[in-house]
Amino acid sequence: MAKVHFYYSTMNAGKSTSLLQSNHNYEVRGLKTYLFTPKVDAELHNGSIHSRLGLEKKAHAFSETFDFKDFFLDKSEEKISCILVDEAQFLTLSQVKELCFVCDKYSIPVMCYGIRTDFRGELFSGSSALLAYADNLVELKTICEYKNCSRKATLIARYLDGKLITEGEQVVIGGDKYKVYCRKHFRKLTGLI
């Protein structure tokens, strides 16, 4: 039985690297995959999923109005082995349900990789839906960036010109604007929880 998987973490935990490695494992066996990345990320990276290690692969870009059911409707004759979605936190609730439908109807595994919460500690809509509907939840781990802390990082803080901020738009693209912390140090620094 095909499943929907959600691999989640903070930033810098290797989500895109893991996705690209999974895709590579399918490709070297001659199996067909479809890769997706949000339009906002695709525009920054020439339509590719990229990792901080320098790996990259072309992907289909999705916007908030993209319909996964419609996209895969005319591909029912293709032997698709896996669908991989990067930055899955940007999926809408409807898109998560569509991916679940595609998985169930066509028996295609769906592997989604994304951030669970934003810089305020609040769930992204795509992550919330995946936490509710995915068959398999896998946390990828990284380490808190606070001084000598070695605890698991679970939350993300945003910085602007070197200053920690706790208000603003939910989405601001740019990995250099963020640091990851354990809950204890996130609380200490932000006062949000």
Side-chain angles (χ1 to χ4, degrees):
M1 177 178 120
K3 294 181 179 179
V4 174
H5 306 268
F6 182 35
Y7 298 87
Y8 65 92
S9 70
T10 61
M11 299 177 80
N12 302 321
K15 294 177 300 299
S16 297
T17 302
S18 181
L19 180 153
L20 293 169
Q21 179 63 53
S22 293
N23 184 65
H24 174 76
N25 292 342
Y26 281 101
E27 285 185 335
V28 296
R29 288 162 183 78
L31 301 171
K32 184 169 183 69
T33 61
Y34 275 91
L35 281 70
F36 293 91
T37 190
K39 185 177 178 189
V40 65
D41 214 48
E43 290 171 349
L44 288 175
H45 303 289
N46 299 317
S48 294
I49 294 172
H50 78 291
S51 77
R52 287 178 178 81
L53 295 180
L55 305 172
E56 66 178 62
K57 186 78 175 171
K58 286 289 185 195
H60 297 275
F62 66 89
S63 67
E64 289 182 356
T65 60
F66 185 86
D67 189 311
F68 286 94
K69 280 172 69 174
D70 285 350
F71 182 86
F72 285 102
L73 185 63
D74 66 346
K75 293 168 181 48
S76 60
E77 298 302 314
E78 292 182 28
K79 186 149 177 59
I80 302 167
S81 294
C82 192
I83 298 165
L84 299 107
V85 182
D86 197 33
E87 304 293 350
Q89 69 271 14
F90 295 125
L91 293 166
T92 66
L93 170 61
S94 294
Q95 288 170 328
V96 170
K97 289 179 178 180
E98 291 162 10
L99 285 167
C100 290
F101 174 86
V102 170
C103 172
D104 296 341
K105 179 162 179 74
Y106 304 115
S107 285
I108 304 170
V110 176
M111 299 171 71
C112 297
Y113 297 78
I115 296 170
R116 185 178 57 163
T117 60
D118 67 12
F119 74 104
R120 297 168 299 208
E122 297 174 7
L123 288 169
F124 283 98
S125 63
S127 302
S128 176
L130 284 162
L131 288 168
Y133 298 123
D135 300 295
N136 188 29
L137 303 173
V138 179
E139 183 179 23
L140 302 175
K141 296 169 183 70
T142 193
I143 307 297
C144 177
E145 291 186 53
Y146 189 83
K147 297 181 183 175
N148 294 320
C149 183
S150 60
R151 293 174 61 169
K152 177 179 72 171
T154 57
L155 295 157
I156 301 165
R158 182 185 293 162
Y159 288 82
L160 180 62
D161 299 324
K163 280 185 67 178
L164 179 84
I165 60 170
T166 58
E167 296 178 349
E169 297 286 323
Q170 184 178 43
V171 177
V172 175
I173 303 296
D176 59 331
K177 296 175 178 70
Y178 298 94
K179 291 187 178 185
V180 298
Y181 298 108
C182 65
R183 184 183 61 243
K184 174 183 175 179
H185 290 120
F186 180 84
R187 177 185 295 114
K188 177 179 181 175
L189 293 167
T190 68
L192 291 172
I193 58 172

mmCIF file of all heavy atoms in Angstrom, residues 133-180:
data_model
loop_
_atom_site.group_PDB
_atom_site.id
_atom_site.type_symbol
_atom_site.label_atom_id
_atom_site.label_comp_id
_atom_site.label_asym_id
_atom_site.label_seq_id
_atom_site.Cartn_x
_atom_site.Cartn_y
_atom_site.Cartn_z
ATOM 1 N N TYR A 133 -2.816 14.213 8.135
ATOM 2 C CA TYR A 133 -3.204 13.222 7.128
ATOM 3 C C TYR A 133 -2.119 12.257 6.677
ATOM 4 O O TYR A 133 -2.424 11.229 6.069
ATOM 5 C CB TYR A 133 -3.768 13.927 5.891
ATOM 6 C CG TYR A 133 -5.009 14.724 6.177
ATOM 7 C CD1 TYR A 133 -5.062 16.073 5.889
ATOM 8 C CD2 TYR A 133 -6.138 14.137 6.751
ATOM 9 C CE1 TYR A 133 -6.206 16.825 6.161
ATOM 10 C CE2 TYR A 133 -7.271 14.874 7.029
ATOM 11 C CZ TYR A 133 -7.300 16.218 6.726
ATOM 12 O OH TYR A 133 -8.420 16.950 7.001
ATOM 13 N N ALA A 134 -0.853 12.561 6.906
ATOM 14 C CA ALA A 134 0.218 11.667 6.445
ATOM 15 C C ALA A 134 0.168 10.340 7.191
ATOM 16 O O ALA A 134 -0.200 10.278 8.365
ATOM 17 C CB ALA A 134 1.574 12.328 6.630
ATOM 18 N N ASP A 135 0.539 9.290 6.483
ATOM 19 C CA ASP A 135 0.592 7.959 7.085
ATOM 20 C C ASP A 135 1.825 7.779 7.958
ATOM 21 O O ASP A 135 1.823 6.986 8.894
ATOM 22 C CB ASP A 135 0.628 6.888 5.984
ATOM 23 C CG ASP A 135 -0.582 6.952 5.092
ATOM 24 O OD1 ASP A 135 -1.687 6.693 5.590
ATOM 25 O OD2 ASP A 135 -0.427 7.280 3.899
ATOM 26 N N ASN A 136 2.880 8.492 7.610
ATOM 27 C CA ASN A 136 4.163 8.301 8.273
ATOM 28 C C ASN A 136 4.779 9.668 8.554
ATOM 29 O O ASN A 136 4.927 10.475 7.644
ATOM 30 C CB ASN A 136 5.082 7.472 7.365
ATOM 31 C CG ASN A 136 6.348 7.049 8.032
ATOM 32 O OD1 ASN A 136 6.410 6.864 9.234
ATOM 33 N ND2 ASN A 136 7.398 6.894 7.236
ATOM 34 N N LEU A 137 5.131 9.919 9.816
ATOM 35 C CA LEU A 137 5.772 11.172 10.218
ATOM 36 C C LEU A 137 7.192 10.872 10.667
ATOM 37 O O LEU A 137 7.405 10.011 11.525
ATOM 38 C CB LEU A 137 5.006 11.817 11.373
ATOM 39 C CG LEU A 137 3.530 12.123 11.128
ATOM 40 C CD1 LEU A 137 2.861 12.591 12.419
ATOM 41 C CD2 LEU A 137 3.370 13.152 10.025
ATOM 42 N N VAL A 138 8.156 11.597 10.070
ATOM 43 C CA VAL A 138 9.560 11.374 10.400
ATOM 44 C C VAL A 138 10.205 12.715 10.705
ATOM 45 O O VAL A 138 10.188 13.623 9.867
ATOM 46 C CB VAL A 138 10.325 10.690 9.243
ATOM 47 C CG1 VAL A 138 11.790 10.491 9.602
ATOM 48 C CG2 VAL A 138 9.674 9.371 8.868
ATOM 49 N N GLU A 139 10.768 12.841 11.903
ATOM 50 C CA GLU A 139 11.455 14.069 12.264
ATOM 51 C C GLU A 139 12.934 13.940 11.915
ATOM 52 O O GLU A 139 13.604 12.995 12.342
ATOM 53 C CB GLU A 139 11.297 14.356 13.757
ATOM 54 C CG GLU A 139 11.938 15.654 14.169
ATOM 55 C CD GLU A 139 11.766 15.959 15.642
ATOM 56 O OE1 GLU A 139 11.554 15.009 16.429
ATOM 57 O OE2 GLU A 139 11.843 17.143 16.001
ATOM 58 N N LEU A 140 13.430 14.892 11.136
ATOM 59 C CA LEU A 140 14.858 14.982 10.848
ATOM 60 C C LEU A 140 15.434 15.961 11.866
ATOM 61 O O LEU A 140 14.858 17.020 12.108
ATOM 62 C CB LEU A 140 15.091 15.471 9.417
ATOM 63 C CG LEU A 140 14.456 14.609 8.328
ATOM 64 C CD1 LEU A 140 14.647 15.243 6.960
ATOM 65 C CD2 LEU A 140 15.027 13.203 8.343
ATOM 66 N N LYS A 141 16.552 15.622 12.448
ATOM 67 C CA LYS A 141 17.051 16.404 13.576
ATOM 68 C C LYS A 141 18.266 17.249 13.233
ATOM 69 O O LYS A 141 19.071 16.885 12.403
ATOM 70 C CB LYS A 141 17.361 15.462 14.737
ATOM 71 C CG LYS A 141 16.112 14.771 15.249
ATOM 72 C CD LYS A 141 16.441 13.658 16.204
ATOM 73 C CE LYS A 141 15.208 12.928 16.663
ATOM 74 N NZ LYS A 141 14.577 12.122 15.652
ATOM 75 N N THR A 142 18.365 18.383 13.933
ATOM 76 C CA THR A 142 19.548 19.231 13.900
ATOM 77 C C THR A 142 19.743 19.814 15.293
ATOM 78 O O THR A 142 18.908 19.624 16.173
ATOM 79 C CB THR A 142 19.450 20.324 12.803
ATOM 80 O OG1 THR A 142 20.727 20.914 12.619
ATOM 81 C CG2 THR A 142 18.415 21.366 13.127
ATOM 82 N N ILE A 143 20.822 20.541 15.491
ATOM 83 C CA ILE A 143 21.234 20.979 16.827
ATOM 84 C C ILE A 143 20.957 22.470 17.047
ATOM 85 O O ILE A 143 21.149 23.295 16.161
ATOM 86 C CB ILE A 143 22.762 20.729 17.019
ATOM 87 C CG1 ILE A 143 23.126 19.279 16.703
ATOM 88 C CG2 ILE A 143 23.219 21.111 18.411
ATOM 89 C CD1 ILE A 143 22.504 18.260 17.581
ATOM 90 N N CYS A 144 20.555 22.803 18.264
ATOM 91 C CA CYS A 144 20.302 24.183 18.686
ATOM 92 C C CYS A 144 21.550 25.039 18.446
ATOM 93 O O CYS A 144 22.676 24.620 18.730
ATOM 94 C CB CYS A 144 19.933 24.191 20.172
ATOM 95 S SG CYS A 144 19.675 25.843 20.868
ATOM 96 N N GLU A 145 21.329 26.265 17.935
ATOM 97 C CA GLU A 145 22.436 27.176 17.635
ATOM 98 C C GLU A 145 22.816 28.081 18.807
ATOM 99 O O GLU A 145 23.697 28.925 18.673
ATOM 100 C CB GLU A 145 22.075 28.051 16.431
ATOM 101 C CG GLU A 145 21.997 27.279 15.133
ATOM 102 C CD GLU A 145 21.791 28.176 13.933
ATOM 103 O OE1 GLU A 145 22.560 29.137 13.738
ATOM 104 O OE2 GLU A 145 20.838 27.911 13.182
ATOM 105 N N TYR A 146 22.181 27.921 19.955
ATOM 106 C CA TYR A 146 22.477 28.784 21.098
ATOM 107 C C TYR A 146 23.776 28.345 21.765
ATOM 108 O O TYR A 146 23.882 27.209 22.255
ATOM 109 C CB TYR A 146 21.328 28.745 22.105
ATOM 110 C CG TYR A 146 21.443 29.767 23.205
ATOM 111 C CD1 TYR A 146 21.025 31.070 23.002
ATOM 112 C CD2 TYR A 146 21.984 29.426 24.427
ATOM 113 C CE1 TYR A 146 21.137 32.028 23.995
ATOM 114 C CE2 TYR A 146 22.096 30.365 25.436
ATOM 115 C CZ TYR A 146 21.683 31.656 25.220
ATOM 116 O OH TYR A 146 21.792 32.598 26.212
ATOM 117 N N LYS A 147 24.764 29.211 21.778
ATOM 118 C CA LYS A 147 26.072 29.015 22.429
ATOM 119 C C LYS A 147 26.522 27.560 22.383
ATOM 120 O O LYS A 147 26.720 27.004 21.324
ATOM 121 C CB LYS A 147 26.050 29.592 23.832
ATOM 122 C CG LYS A 147 25.831 31.084 23.828
ATOM 123 C CD LYS A 147 25.823 31.674 25.198
ATOM 124 C CE LYS A 147 25.519 33.167 25.093
ATOM 125 N NZ LYS A 147 25.371 33.789 26.382
ATOM 126 N N ASN A 148 26.648 26.918 23.520
ATOM 127 C CA ASN A 148 27.147 25.542 23.566
ATOM 128 C C ASN A 148 26.048 24.515 23.778
ATOM 129 O O ASN A 148 26.302 23.412 24.257
ATOM 130 C CB ASN A 148 28.199 25.399 24.675
ATOM 131 C CG ASN A 148 29.431 26.207 24.375
ATOM 132 O OD1 ASN A 148 29.874 26.265 23.236
ATOM 133 N ND2 ASN A 148 29.991 26.862 25.391
ATOM 134 N N CYS A 149 24.832 24.856 23.433
ATOM 135 C CA CYS A 149 23.721 23.935 23.615
ATOM 136 C C CYS A 149 23.848 22.772 22.628
ATOM 137 O O CYS A 149 24.201 22.967 21.475
ATOM 138 C CB CYS A 149 22.388 24.656 23.389
ATOM 139 S SG CYS A 149 20.954 23.598 23.689
ATOM 140 N N SER A 150 23.557 21.590 23.100
ATOM 141 C CA SER A 150 23.616 20.429 22.205
ATOM 142 C C SER A 150 22.257 19.748 22.092
ATOM 143 O O SER A 150 22.154 18.631 21.604
ATOM 144 C CB SER A 150 24.661 19.430 22.711
ATOM 145 O OG SER A 150 24.317 18.983 24.014
ATOM 146 N N ARG A 151 21.191 20.449 22.536
ATOM 147 C CA ARG A 151 19.847 19.888 22.456
ATOM 148 C C ARG A 151 19.346 19.934 21.018
ATOM 149 O O ARG A 151 19.823 20.699 20.190
ATOM 150 C CB ARG A 151 18.898 20.670 23.370
ATOM 151 C CG ARG A 151 19.224 20.490 24.850
ATOM 152 C CD ARG A 151 18.391 21.363 25.722
ATOM 153 N NE ARG A 151 16.972 21.029 25.546
ATOM 154 C CZ ARG A 151 16.014 21.479 26.318
ATOM 155 N NH1 ARG A 151 16.301 22.287 27.313
ATOM 156 N NH2 ARG A 151 14.767 21.148 26.102
ATOM 157 N N LYS A 152 18.323 19.138 20.758
ATOM 158 C CA LYS A 152 17.696 19.110 19.443
ATOM 159 C C LYS A 152 16.993 20.433 19.173
ATOM 160 O O LYS A 152 16.233 20.927 20.007
ATOM 161 C CB LYS A 152 16.691 17.952 19.382
ATOM 162 C CG LYS A 152 15.918 17.862 18.088
ATOM 163 C CD LYS A 152 14.969 16.686 18.090
ATOM 164 C CE LYS A 152 13.815 16.937 19.016
ATOM 165 N NZ LYS A 152 12.743 15.957 18.928
ATOM 166 N N ALA A 153 17.233 21.016 18.002
ATOM 167 C CA ALA A 153 16.528 22.239 17.600
ATOM 168 C C ALA A 153 15.142 21.859 17.102
ATOM 169 O O ALA A 153 14.993 20.945 16.299
ATOM 170 C CB ALA A 153 17.309 22.954 16.501
ATOM 171 N N THR A 154 14.129 22.572 17.596
ATOM 172 C CA THR A 154 12.752 22.292 17.185
ATOM 173 C C THR A 154 12.031 23.531 16.685
ATOM 174 O O THR A 154 10.929 23.430 16.148
ATOM 175 C CB THR A 154 11.938 21.702 18.360
ATOM 176 O OG1 THR A 154 11.993 22.618 19.462
ATOM 177 C CG2 THR A 154 12.476 20.337 18.772
ATOM 178 N N LEU A 155 12.634 24.717 16.864
ATOM 179 C CA LEU A 155 11.976 25.970 16.503
ATOM 180 C C LEU A 155 12.937 26.887 15.752
ATOM 181 O O LEU A 155 14.161 26.779 15.888
ATOM 182 C CB LEU A 155 11.443 26.661 17.757
ATOM 183 C CG LEU A 155 10.323 25.881 18.459
ATOM 184 C CD1 LEU A 155 10.218 26.256 19.921
ATOM 185 C CD2 LEU A 155 9.000 26.105 17.748
ATOM 186 N N ILE A 156 12.357 27.802 14.999
ATOM 187 C CA ILE A 156 13.121 28.700 14.133
ATOM 188 C C ILE A 156 12.882 30.137 14.575
ATOM 189 O O ILE A 156 11.747 30.541 14.816
ATOM 190 C CB ILE A 156 12.653 28.545 12.670
ATOM 191 C CG1 ILE A 156 12.827 27.110 12.209
ATOM 192 C CG2 ILE A 156 13.390 29.514 11.757
ATOM 193 C CD1 ILE A 156 12.068 26.789 10.937
ATOM 194 N N ALA A 157 13.956 30.918 14.650
ATOM 195 C CA ALA A 157 13.848 32.349 14.958
ATOM 196 C C ALA A 157 14.311 33.144 13.737
ATOM 197 O O ALA A 157 15.217 32.728 13.025
ATOM 198 C CB ALA A 157 14.696 32.694 16.175
ATOM 199 N N ARG A 158 13.659 34.279 13.511
ATOM 200 C CA ARG A 158 14.006 35.132 12.369
ATOM 201 C C ARG A 158 14.779 36.354 12.845
ATOM 202 O O ARG A 158 14.467 36.935 13.879
ATOM 203 C CB ARG A 158 12.745 35.590 11.639
ATOM 204 C CG ARG A 158 13.063 36.439 10.396
ATOM 205 C CD ARG A 158 11.833 36.998 9.734
ATOM 206 N NE ARG A 158 11.019 35.949 9.163
ATOM 207 C CZ ARG A 158 9.727 36.108 8.831
ATOM 208 N NH1 ARG A 158 9.131 37.264 9.007
ATOM 209 N NH2 ARG A 158 9.042 35.109 8.332
ATOM 210 N N TYR A 159 15.768 36.718 12.040
ATOM 211 C CA TYR A 159 16.585 37.894 12.324
ATOM 212 C C TYR A 159 16.508 38.859 11.156
ATOM 213 O O TYR A 159 16.425 38.455 9.996
ATOM 214 C CB TYR A 159 18.044 37.484 12.558
ATOM 215 C CG TYR A 159 18.236 36.772 13.873
ATOM 216 C CD1 TYR A 159 17.955 35.410 14.003
ATOM 217 C CD2 TYR A 159 18.673 37.467 14.993
ATOM 218 C CE1 TYR A 159 18.117 34.760 15.214
ATOM 219 C CE2 TYR A 159 18.835 36.821 16.214
ATOM 220 C CZ TYR A 159 18.560 35.473 16.313
ATOM 221 O OH TYR A 159 18.715 34.837 17.514
ATOM 222 N N LEU A 160 16.545 40.142 11.467
ATOM 223 C CA LEU A 160 16.567 41.197 10.459
ATOM 224 C C LEU A 160 17.687 42.152 10.848
ATOM 225 O O LEU A 160 17.665 42.719 11.941
ATOM 226 C CB LEU A 160 15.223 41.927 10.399
ATOM 227 C CG LEU A 160 15.111 43.055 9.381
ATOM 228 C CD1 LEU A 160 15.285 42.520 7.958
ATOM 229 C CD2 LEU A 160 13.775 43.757 9.508
ATOM 230 N N ASP A 161 18.682 42.259 9.973
ATOM 231 C CA ASP A 161 19.856 43.093 10.251
ATOM 232 C C ASP A 161 20.477 42.740 11.608
ATOM 233 O O ASP A 161 20.861 43.617 12.384
ATOM 234 C CB ASP A 161 19.494 44.585 10.211
ATOM 235 C CG ASP A 161 18.985 45.017 8.845
ATOM 236 O OD1 ASP A 161 19.500 44.488 7.829
ATOM 237 O OD2 ASP A 161 18.074 45.863 8.799
ATOM 238 N N GLY A 162 20.539 41.438 11.902
ATOM 239 C CA GLY A 162 21.149 40.958 13.134
ATOM 240 C C GLY A 162 20.274 41.029 14.368
ATOM 241 O O GLY A 162 20.681 40.583 15.432
ATOM 242 N N LYS A 163 19.059 41.595 14.245
ATOM 243 C CA LYS A 163 18.158 41.704 15.392
ATOM 244 C C LYS A 163 17.067 40.649 15.301
ATOM 245 O O LYS A 163 16.447 40.470 14.263
ATOM 246 C CB LYS A 163 17.498 43.090 15.415
ATOM 247 C CG LYS A 163 18.372 44.183 15.984
ATOM 248 C CD LYS A 163 17.608 45.487 16.088
ATOM 249 C CE LYS A 163 16.508 45.351 17.115
ATOM 250 N NZ LYS A 163 15.739 46.575 17.324
ATOM 251 N N LEU A 164 16.809 39.974 16.415
ATOM 252 C CA LEU A 164 15.727 38.996 16.491
ATOM 253 C C LEU A 164 14.392 39.717 16.362
ATOM 254 O O LEU A 164 14.174 40.736 17.016
ATOM 255 C CB LEU A 164 15.789 38.259 17.826
ATOM 256 C CG LEU A 164 14.702 37.216 18.048
ATOM 257 C CD1 LEU A 164 15.107 35.903 17.394
ATOM 258 C CD2 LEU A 164 14.459 37.014 19.521
ATOM 259 N N ILE A 165 13.501 39.175 15.511
ATOM 260 C CA ILE A 165 12.169 39.757 15.385
ATOM 261 C C ILE A 165 11.121 38.692 15.678
ATOM 262 O O ILE A 165 11.355 37.502 15.452
ATOM 263 C CB ILE A 165 11.930 40.401 13.992
ATOM 264 C CG1 ILE A 165 12.080 39.365 12.876
ATOM 265 C CG2 ILE A 165 12.886 41.558 13.758
ATOM 266 C CD1 ILE A 165 11.628 39.887 11.531
ATOM 267 N N THR A 166 9.984 39.128 16.187
ATOM 268 C CA THR A 166 8.932 38.177 16.567
ATOM 269 C C THR A 166 7.600 38.495 15.903
ATOM 270 O O THR A 166 6.601 37.862 16.213
ATOM 271 C CB THR A 166 8.746 38.163 18.101
ATOM 272 O OG1 THR A 166 8.424 39.487 18.535
ATOM 273 C CG2 THR A 166 9.995 37.658 18.800
ATOM 274 N N GLU A 167 7.584 39.472 15.007
ATOM 275 C CA GLU A 167 6.364 39.830 14.290
ATOM 276 C C GLU A 167 6.691 40.007 12.821
ATOM 277 O O GLU A 167 7.829 40.265 12.465
ATOM 278 C CB GLU A 167 5.767 41.129 14.849
ATOM 279 C CG GLU A 167 5.310 41.017 16.278
ATOM 280 C CD GLU A 167 4.765 42.342 16.811
ATOM 281 O OE1 GLU A 167 4.932 43.380 16.139
ATOM 282 O OE2 GLU A 167 4.171 42.318 17.889
ATOM 283 N N GLY A 168 5.661 39.894 11.978
ATOM 284 C CA GLY A 168 5.848 40.117 10.553
ATOM 285 C C GLY A 168 5.194 39.036 9.717
ATOM 286 O O GLY A 168 4.478 38.177 10.232
ATOM 287 N N GLU A 169 5.440 39.114 8.425
ATOM 288 C CA GLU A 169 4.910 38.139 7.472
ATOM 289 C C GLU A 169 5.359 36.737 7.855
ATOM 290 O O GLU A 169 6.494 36.540 8.297
ATOM 291 C CB GLU A 169 5.405 38.448 6.060
ATOM 292 C CG GLU A 169 4.948 39.770 5.506
ATOM 293 C CD GLU A 169 3.488 39.734 5.102
ATOM 294 O OE1 GLU A 169 3.036 38.691 4.589
ATOM 295 O OE2 GLU A 169 2.804 40.743 5.321
ATOM 296 N N GLN A 170 4.489 35.753 7.640
ATOM 297 C CA GLN A 170 4.861 34.384 7.972
ATOM 298 C C GLN A 170 6.017 33.896 7.111
ATOM 299 O O GLN A 170 6.894 33.185 7.577
ATOM 300 C CB GLN A 170 3.664 33.427 7.812
ATOM 301 C CG GLN A 170 4.014 32.018 8.262
ATOM 302 C CD GLN A 170 2.868 31.035 8.166
ATOM 303 O OE1 GLN A 170 2.141 31.035 7.188
ATOM 304 N NE2 GLN A 170 2.720 30.194 9.171
ATOM 305 N N VAL A 171 6.046 34.303 5.850
ATOM 306 C CA VAL A 171 7.057 33.800 4.921
ATOM 307 C C VAL A 171 7.971 34.928 4.462
ATOM 308 O O VAL A 171 7.513 35.916 3.899
ATOM 309 C CB VAL A 171 6.396 33.142 3.689
ATOM 310 C CG1 VAL A 171 7.455 32.683 2.698
ATOM 311 C CG2 VAL A 171 5.504 31.989 4.112
ATOM 312 N N VAL A 172 9.242 34.772 4.735
ATOM 313 C CA VAL A 172 10.300 35.606 4.180
ATOM 314 C C VAL A 172 11.397 34.630 3.773
ATOM 315 O O VAL A 172 11.964 33.940 4.611
ATOM 316 C CB VAL A 172 10.833 36.642 5.191
ATOM 317 C CG1 VAL A 172 12.018 37.404 4.609
ATOM 318 C CG2 VAL A 172 9.728 37.608 5.605
ATOM 319 N N ILE A 173 11.656 34.547 2.470
ATOM 320 C CA ILE A 173 12.609 33.566 1.954
ATOM 321 C C ILE A 173 14.033 34.039 2.209
ATOM 322 O O ILE A 173 14.353 35.202 2.036
ATOM 323 C CB ILE A 173 12.385 33.341 0.434
ATOM 324 C CG1 ILE A 173 10.948 32.897 0.161
ATOM 325 C CG2 ILE A 173 13.385 32.351 -0.124
ATOM 326 C CD1 ILE A 173 10.565 31.579 0.754
ATOM 327 N N GLY A 174 14.895 33.118 2.585
ATOM 328 C CA GLY A 174 16.307 33.413 2.789
ATOM 329 C C GLY A 174 16.831 32.738 4.028
ATOM 330 O O GLY A 174 16.515 33.149 5.140
ATOM 331 N N GLY A 175 17.622 31.686 3.846
ATOM 332 C CA GLY A 175 18.139 30.911 4.971
ATOM 333 C C GLY A 175 19.029 31.699 5.902
ATOM 334 O O GLY A 175 19.164 31.380 7.080
ATOM 335 N N ASP A 176 19.651 32.782 5.415
ATOM 336 C CA ASP A 176 20.544 33.566 6.255
ATOM 337 C C ASP A 176 19.793 34.424 7.263
ATOM 338 O O ASP A 176 20.398 35.025 8.147
ATOM 339 C CB ASP A 176 21.429 34.453 5.379
ATOM 340 C CG ASP A 176 20.634 35.419 4.510
ATOM 341 O OD1 ASP A 176 19.486 35.098 4.150
ATOM 342 O OD2 ASP A 176 21.171 36.494 4.204
ATOM 343 N N LYS A 177 18.492 34.482 7.165
ATOM 344 C CA LYS A 177 17.680 35.296 8.069
ATOM 345 C C LYS A 177 17.212 34.503 9.288
ATOM 346 O O LYS A 177 16.501 35.037 10.134
ATOM 347 C CB LYS A 177 16.450 35.827 7.328
ATOM 348 C CG LYS A 177 16.767 36.778 6.192
ATOM 349 C CD LYS A 177 15.495 37.130 5.450
ATOM 350 C CE LYS A 177 15.738 38.105 4.336
ATOM 351 N NZ LYS A 177 16.466 37.573 3.215
ATOM 352 N N TYR A 178 17.568 33.245 9.386
ATOM 353 C CA TYR A 178 17.007 32.373 10.415
ATOM 354 C C TYR A 178 18.086 31.632 11.192
ATOM 355 O O TYR A 178 19.146 31.320 10.664
ATOM 356 C CB TYR A 178 16.075 31.337 9.772
ATOM 357 C CG TYR A 178 14.900 31.964 9.067
ATOM 358 C CD1 TYR A 178 14.950 32.247 7.708
ATOM 359 C CD2 TYR A 178 13.742 32.272 9.766
ATOM 360 C CE1 TYR A 178 13.870 32.828 7.064
ATOM 361 C CE2 TYR A 178 12.655 32.854 9.129
ATOM 362 C CZ TYR A 178 12.728 33.134 7.781
ATOM 363 O OH TYR A 178 11.655 33.710 7.151
ATOM 364 N N LYS A 179 17.761 31.331 12.448
ATOM 365 C CA LYS A 179 18.574 30.444 13.283
ATOM 366 C C LYS A 179 17.621 29.468 13.957
ATOM 367 O O LYS A 179 16.445 29.773 14.159
ATOM 368 C CB LYS A 179 19.347 31.233 14.340
ATOM 369 C CG LYS A 179 20.441 32.097 13.734
ATOM 370 C CD LYS A 179 21.291 32.714 14.805
ATOM 371 C CE LYS A 179 22.387 33.532 14.146
ATOM 372 N NZ LYS A 179 23.322 34.065 15.134
ATOM 373 N N VAL A 180 18.133 28.292 14.291
ATOM 374 C CA VAL A 180 17.297 27.254 14.899
ATOM 375 C C VAL A 180 17.704 27.030 16.351
ATOM 376 O O VAL A 180 18.882 27.077 16.690
ATOM 377 C CB VAL A 180 17.360 25.935 14.091
ATOM 378 C CG1 VAL A 180 16.833 26.153 12.687
ATOM 379 C CG2 VAL A 180 18.769 25.363 14.031
#
